[in-house]
Structure formats: structure tokens, C-alpha cells
Amino acid sequence: MNVEQLYEFLKKTQEAKGYFFHKDKTRVFHLLQGLLENRERYGYMCCPCRLAADDRDRDRDIICPCVYREPDVAEYGSCYCGLYVSKEWNEETIPHSYVSERRPPEKASR
Amino acid sequence: MKDPDIKLYALTTCIHCKDTKDFLDKCGVDYDCVNVDKLDDDERRRMIEEIKKANPGCAFPMLLIGPKVIIGFKKEEIREALNLE
């Protein structure tokens, strides 16, 4: 699967759930490229903005879409990477603030 | 005046790391960059231990500007630490 195909597939499935790609397609493609690279390296699409432990069980919470996407989009209008955002975020009717890392520090790579 | 020592810990796939690199480049400052995801196992383990001393959650990017530690792409904090207008 190439980036374009991944984009089309995820756009369809995630928009149906109320999660939209960031309106800047260049950023989205950089992140999707990272997801494909991580799939190649680790065997699963780990979050491109976090360091994978290369252990599917340890990384389960950060396989994209990560478990933090829902609370992050609810609070900030954007996930940690800014790959998925709310409609309001893309329309700039809510402020664009930096999304703090919600993942507990003890879960970080060793 | 000599620039403070600047060191960036980053991931090649991370968009905030890319934003930080682009911003530092635009500011015309010299910095060392370690792409932690590209290190081999031993070096990576050693680097993670080092990063966790200042950044227990091992979040990226982590930028060291002299004694100052900036976690995440925080443009204003970087600007301030670099003494830029």
C-alpha cells in the first residue's frame, strides 16, 4: 500500500467516525509515510511521533489511531501528531494549541 | 557571541521534530541532531536513559539549548532561549 492508497482508505474509514485529516495534505503525507515506515520496521503502524518499543504489546496504546486520539481530539481538537483533527479545528473555529503528551511516562520506551 | 550548544533529539517520522528542524534552520543556528529511531539497539538504549533524565516520558522532540530543556515544538520558548527577537 502506498501513501496515496493509505490516505484514501483512512480518510473514508476515519471520517465516518468523525475524525478528519489535518487540512495540510503535506503534513498528512509526511505522517502517513512515517506510519508506513513504522509498519515496515516494526510490523505495525506505530505512532510516527512517538518512539516505538518494537514490542506490539508494549506499543499497543500507540498503534495508530492511538488510544489517546479520542480524549485529545475532544480536548484540543487534534491528536498528538495533528494527523487527525476535528471539523472545527480544520475550520479554525477553535484555537490551535500544542497537544501535550497524554501517554503516561512509565509507558515510554526502555 | 558564540551560539549556545544546541542539541536536538528527534525521530525521523515525527512531524513536530520536522517542524523544530525547519525552525532552527530558518533561524540559521547550528545544532547537533540525534535521530533516536535510527540508532542501533545499544546506542538507542543508552540514549533513552540519557533523555529520560530530563524527560521521563521520552517525548520528542527534545531540544537542549545550553542548560535549557524544551520538550515539544514550542516556538516561543525556542526563540526566547536563542535570544531571538
Side-chain angles (χ1 to χ4, degrees), chain A residues 62-80:
Chain A
I62 54 167
I63 294 176
C64 188
C66 69
V67 302
Y68 310 104
R69 178 180 71 166
E70 190 181 334
D72 282 341
V73 173
E75 183 175 344
Y76 301 100
S78 168
C79 74
Y80 181 62

PDB file of all heavy atoms in Angstrom, chain A residues 62-80:
ATOM      1  N   ILE A  62      -0.197   2.898  21.389  1.00  0.00           N
ATOM      2  CA  ILE A  62       0.235   3.931  20.432  1.00  0.00           C
ATOM      3  C   ILE A  62       0.232   3.434  18.987  1.00  0.00           C
ATOM      4  O   ILE A  62       0.865   4.012  18.115  1.00  0.00           O
ATOM      5  CB  ILE A  62       1.605   4.555  20.806  1.00  0.00           C
ATOM      6  CG1 ILE A  62       2.685   3.488  20.996  1.00  0.00           C
ATOM      7  CG2 ILE A  62       1.473   5.447  22.032  1.00  0.00           C
ATOM      8  CD1 ILE A  62       4.108   4.052  21.060  1.00  0.00           C
ATOM      9  N   ILE A  63      -0.489   2.332  18.753  1.00  0.00           N
ATOM     10  CA  ILE A  63      -0.687   1.922  17.358  1.00  0.00           C
ATOM     11  C   ILE A  63      -1.786   2.841  16.815  1.00  0.00           C
ATOM     12  O   ILE A  63      -2.834   3.018  17.433  1.00  0.00           O
ATOM     13  CB  ILE A  63      -1.079   0.429  17.249  1.00  0.00           C
ATOM     14  CG1 ILE A  63       0.091  -0.451  17.723  1.00  0.00           C
ATOM     15  CG2 ILE A  63      -1.470   0.084  15.809  1.00  0.00           C
ATOM     16  CD1 ILE A  63      -0.182  -1.940  17.772  1.00  0.00           C
ATOM     17  N   CYS A  64      -1.512   3.452  15.675  1.00  0.00           N
ATOM     18  CA  CYS A  64      -2.397   4.477  15.125  1.00  0.00           C
ATOM     19  C   CYS A  64      -3.690   3.877  14.569  1.00  0.00           C
ATOM     20  O   CYS A  64      -3.625   2.892  13.838  1.00  0.00           O
ATOM     21  CB  CYS A  64      -1.656   5.235  14.023  1.00  0.00           C
ATOM     22  SG  CYS A  64      -2.539   6.676  13.427  1.00  0.00           S
ATOM     23  N   PRO A  65      -4.851   4.429  14.870  1.00  0.00           N
ATOM     24  CA  PRO A  65      -5.077   5.554  15.768  1.00  0.00           C
ATOM     25  C   PRO A  65      -4.880   5.152  17.228  1.00  0.00           C
ATOM     26  O   PRO A  65      -5.452   4.163  17.681  1.00  0.00           O
ATOM     27  CB  PRO A  65      -6.531   5.947  15.497  1.00  0.00           C
ATOM     28  CG  PRO A  65      -7.171   4.725  14.940  1.00  0.00           C
ATOM     29  CD  PRO A  65      -6.110   3.943  14.257  1.00  0.00           C
ATOM     30  N   CYS A  66      -4.108   5.935  17.941  1.00  0.00           N
ATOM     31  CA  CYS A  66      -3.747   5.593  19.321  1.00  0.00           C
ATOM     32  C   CYS A  66      -4.954   5.766  20.247  1.00  0.00           C
ATOM     33  O   CYS A  66      -5.933   6.409  19.893  1.00  0.00           O
ATOM     34  CB  CYS A  66      -2.581   6.467  19.786  1.00  0.00           C
ATOM     35  SG  CYS A  66      -3.005   8.206  20.013  1.00  0.00           S
ATOM     36  N   VAL A  67      -4.839   5.198  21.442  1.00  0.00           N
ATOM     37  CA  VAL A  67      -5.967   5.281  22.381  1.00  0.00           C
ATOM     38  C   VAL A  67      -6.144   6.707  22.918  1.00  0.00           C
ATOM     39  O   VAL A  67      -7.166   7.023  23.514  1.00  0.00           O
ATOM     40  CB  VAL A  67      -5.829   4.297  23.575  1.00  0.00           C
ATOM     41  CG1 VAL A  67      -5.720   2.867  23.097  1.00  0.00           C
ATOM     42  CG2 VAL A  67      -4.655   4.648  24.473  1.00  0.00           C
ATOM     43  N   TYR A  68      -5.151   7.554  22.687  1.00  0.00           N
ATOM     44  CA  TYR A  68      -5.219   8.935  23.198  1.00  0.00           C
ATOM     45  C   TYR A  68      -5.897   9.880  22.204  1.00  0.00           C
ATOM     46  O   TYR A  68      -6.131  11.036  22.509  1.00  0.00           O
ATOM     47  CB  TYR A  68      -3.800   9.429  23.546  1.00  0.00           C
ATOM     48  CG  TYR A  68      -3.068   8.422  24.406  1.00  0.00           C
ATOM     49  CD1 TYR A  68      -2.076   7.588  23.873  1.00  0.00           C
ATOM     50  CD2 TYR A  68      -3.427   8.250  25.738  1.00  0.00           C
ATOM     51  CE1 TYR A  68      -1.447   6.628  24.651  1.00  0.00           C
ATOM     52  CE2 TYR A  68      -2.799   7.283  26.525  1.00  0.00           C
ATOM     53  CZ  TYR A  68      -1.809   6.478  25.979  1.00  0.00           C
ATOM     54  OH  TYR A  68      -1.210   5.523  26.748  1.00  0.00           O
ATOM     55  N   ARG A  69      -6.144   9.372  20.989  1.00  0.00           N
ATOM     56  CA  ARG A  69      -6.744  10.239  19.977  1.00  0.00           C
ATOM     57  C   ARG A  69      -8.096  10.769  20.442  1.00  0.00           C
ATOM     58  O   ARG A  69      -8.367  11.975  20.315  1.00  0.00           O
ATOM     59  CB  ARG A  69      -6.922   9.474  18.656  1.00  0.00           C
ATOM     60  CG  ARG A  69      -7.586  10.336  17.578  1.00  0.00           C
ATOM     61  CD  ARG A  69      -7.786   9.611  16.273  1.00  0.00           C
ATOM     62  NE  ARG A  69      -8.829   8.585  16.350  1.00  0.00           N
ATOM     63  CZ  ARG A  69      -9.372   7.999  15.294  1.00  0.00           C
ATOM     64  NH1 ARG A  69      -8.948   8.307  14.078  1.00  0.00           N
ATOM     65  NH2 ARG A  69     -10.300   7.078  15.430  1.00  0.00           N
ATOM     66  N   GLU A  70      -8.919   9.890  20.987  1.00  0.00           N
ATOM     67  CA  GLU A  70     -10.269  10.315  21.367  1.00  0.00           C
ATOM     68  C   GLU A  70     -10.245  11.452  22.409  1.00  0.00           C
ATOM     69  O   GLU A  70     -10.824  12.516  22.168  1.00  0.00           O
ATOM     70  CB  GLU A  70     -11.069   9.112  21.853  1.00  0.00           C
ATOM     71  CG  GLU A  70     -12.525   9.441  22.038  1.00  0.00           C
ATOM     72  CD  GLU A  70     -13.331   8.251  22.551  1.00  0.00           C
ATOM     73  OE1 GLU A  70     -12.937   7.098  22.308  1.00  0.00           O
ATOM     74  OE2 GLU A  70     -14.354   8.512  23.208  1.00  0.00           O
ATOM     75  N   PRO A  71      -9.544  11.265  23.562  1.00  0.00           N
ATOM     76  CA  PRO A  71      -9.512  12.386  24.524  1.00  0.00           C
ATOM     77  C   PRO A  71      -8.774  13.616  23.996  1.00  0.00           C
ATOM     78  O   PRO A  71      -9.150  14.747  24.330  1.00  0.00           O
ATOM     79  CB  PRO A  71      -8.807  11.798  25.751  1.00  0.00           C
ATOM     80  CG  PRO A  71      -8.138  10.550  25.292  1.00  0.00           C
ATOM     81  CD  PRO A  71      -8.908  10.053  24.113  1.00  0.00           C
ATOM     82  N   ASP A  72      -7.750  13.417  23.166  1.00  0.00           N
ATOM     83  CA  ASP A  72      -7.021  14.582  22.636  1.00  0.00           C
ATOM     84  C   ASP A  72      -7.879  15.396  21.663  1.00  0.00           C
ATOM     85  O   ASP A  72      -7.888  16.625  21.727  1.00  0.00           O
ATOM     86  CB  ASP A  72      -5.715  14.142  21.945  1.00  0.00           C
ATOM     87  CG  ASP A  72      -4.610  13.818  22.939  1.00  0.00           C
ATOM     88  OD1 ASP A  72      -4.717  14.271  24.105  1.00  0.00           O
ATOM     89  OD2 ASP A  72      -3.648  13.118  22.574  1.00  0.00           O
ATOM     90  N   VAL A  73      -8.580  14.715  20.792  1.00  0.00           N
ATOM     91  CA  VAL A  73      -9.438  15.449  19.848  1.00  0.00           C
ATOM     92  C   VAL A  73     -10.590  16.109  20.621  1.00  0.00           C
ATOM     93  O   VAL A  73     -10.982  17.242  20.329  1.00  0.00           O
ATOM     94  CB  VAL A  73      -9.940  14.540  18.698  1.00  0.00           C
ATOM     95  CG1 VAL A  73     -10.957  15.277  17.822  1.00  0.00           C
ATOM     96  CG2 VAL A  73      -8.770  14.076  17.831  1.00  0.00           C
ATOM     97  N   ALA A  74     -11.080  15.432  21.670  1.00  0.00           N
ATOM     98  CA  ALA A  74     -12.149  16.029  22.475  1.00  0.00           C
ATOM     99  C   ALA A  74     -11.641  17.283  23.196  1.00  0.00           C
ATOM    100  O   ALA A  74     -12.343  18.293  23.260  1.00  0.00           O
ATOM    101  CB  ALA A  74     -12.668  15.005  23.486  1.00  0.00           C
ATOM    102  N   GLU A  75     -10.411  17.236  23.723  1.00  0.00           N
ATOM    103  CA  GLU A  75      -9.896  18.384  24.485  1.00  0.00           C
ATOM    104  C   GLU A  75      -9.279  19.479  23.606  1.00  0.00           C
ATOM    105  O   GLU A  75      -9.523  20.659  23.817  1.00  0.00           O
ATOM    106  CB  GLU A  75      -8.855  17.896  25.496  1.00  0.00           C
ATOM    107  CG  GLU A  75      -8.325  19.022  26.379  1.00  0.00           C
ATOM    108  CD  GLU A  75      -7.370  18.554  27.468  1.00  0.00           C
ATOM    109  OE1 GLU A  75      -7.328  17.340  27.752  1.00  0.00           O
ATOM    110  OE2 GLU A  75      -6.665  19.414  28.027  1.00  0.00           O
ATOM    111  N   TYR A  76      -8.452  19.053  22.649  1.00  0.00           N
ATOM    112  CA  TYR A  76      -7.707  20.041  21.854  1.00  0.00           C
ATOM    113  C   TYR A  76      -8.224  20.215  20.420  1.00  0.00           C
ATOM    114  O   TYR A  76      -7.799  21.126  19.720  1.00  0.00           O
ATOM    115  CB  TYR A  76      -6.230  19.618  21.727  1.00  0.00           C
ATOM    116  CG  TYR A  76      -5.494  19.457  23.025  1.00  0.00           C
ATOM    117  CD1 TYR A  76      -5.281  18.195  23.583  1.00  0.00           C
ATOM    118  CD2 TYR A  76      -4.950  20.569  23.678  1.00  0.00           C
ATOM    119  CE1 TYR A  76      -4.567  18.039  24.764  1.00  0.00           C
ATOM    120  CE2 TYR A  76      -4.237  20.421  24.855  1.00  0.00           C
ATOM    121  CZ  TYR A  76      -4.048  19.159  25.396  1.00  0.00           C
ATOM    122  OH  TYR A  76      -3.345  19.010  26.556  1.00  0.00           O
ATOM    123  N   GLY A  77      -9.025  19.269  19.966  1.00  0.00           N
ATOM    124  CA  GLY A  77      -9.455  19.303  18.565  1.00  0.00           C
ATOM    125  C   GLY A  77      -8.456  18.639  17.644  1.00  0.00           C
ATOM    126  O   GLY A  77      -8.587  18.666  16.422  1.00  0.00           O
ATOM    127  N   SER A  78      -7.401  18.038  18.223  1.00  0.00           N
ATOM    128  CA  SER A  78      -6.346  17.426  17.409  1.00  0.00           C
ATOM    129  C   SER A  78      -5.714  16.276  18.183  1.00  0.00           C
ATOM    130  O   SER A  78      -5.630  16.339  19.414  1.00  0.00           O
ATOM    131  CB  SER A  78      -5.274  18.481  17.109  1.00  0.00           C
ATOM    132  OG  SER A  78      -4.117  17.885  16.557  1.00  0.00           O
ATOM    133  N   CYS A  79      -5.244  15.267  17.454  1.00  0.00           N
ATOM    134  CA  CYS A  79      -4.491  14.211  18.131  1.00  0.00           C
ATOM    135  C   CYS A  79      -3.068  14.716  18.354  1.00  0.00           C
ATOM    136  O   CYS A  79      -2.690  15.781  17.863  1.00  0.00           O
ATOM    137  CB  CYS A  79      -4.527  12.899  17.332  1.00  0.00           C
ATOM    138  SG  CYS A  79      -3.489  12.870  15.850  1.00  0.00           S
ATOM    139  N   TYR A  80      -2.288  13.946  19.071  1.00  0.00           N
ATOM    140  CA  TYR A  80      -0.924  14.350  19.440  1.00  0.00           C
ATOM    141  C   TYR A  80      -0.078  14.752  18.231  1.00  0.00           C
ATOM    142  O   TYR A  80       0.667  15.731  18.269  1.00  0.00           O
ATOM    143  CB  TYR A  80      -0.282  13.193  20.208  1.00  0.00           C
ATOM    144  CG  TYR A  80       1.120  13.431  20.701  1.00  0.00           C
ATOM    145  CD1 TYR A  80       1.387  14.442  21.618  1.00  0.00           C
ATOM    146  CD2 TYR A  80       2.171  12.629  20.272  1.00  0.00           C
ATOM    147  CE1 TYR A  80       2.673  14.650  22.090  1.00  0.00           C
ATOM    148  CE2 TYR A  80       3.463  12.825  20.744  1.00  0.00           C
ATOM    149  CZ  TYR A  80       3.710  13.839  21.651  1.00  0.00           C
ATOM    150  OH  TYR A  80       4.983  14.046  22.108  1.00  0.00           O
TER     151      TYR A  80
END
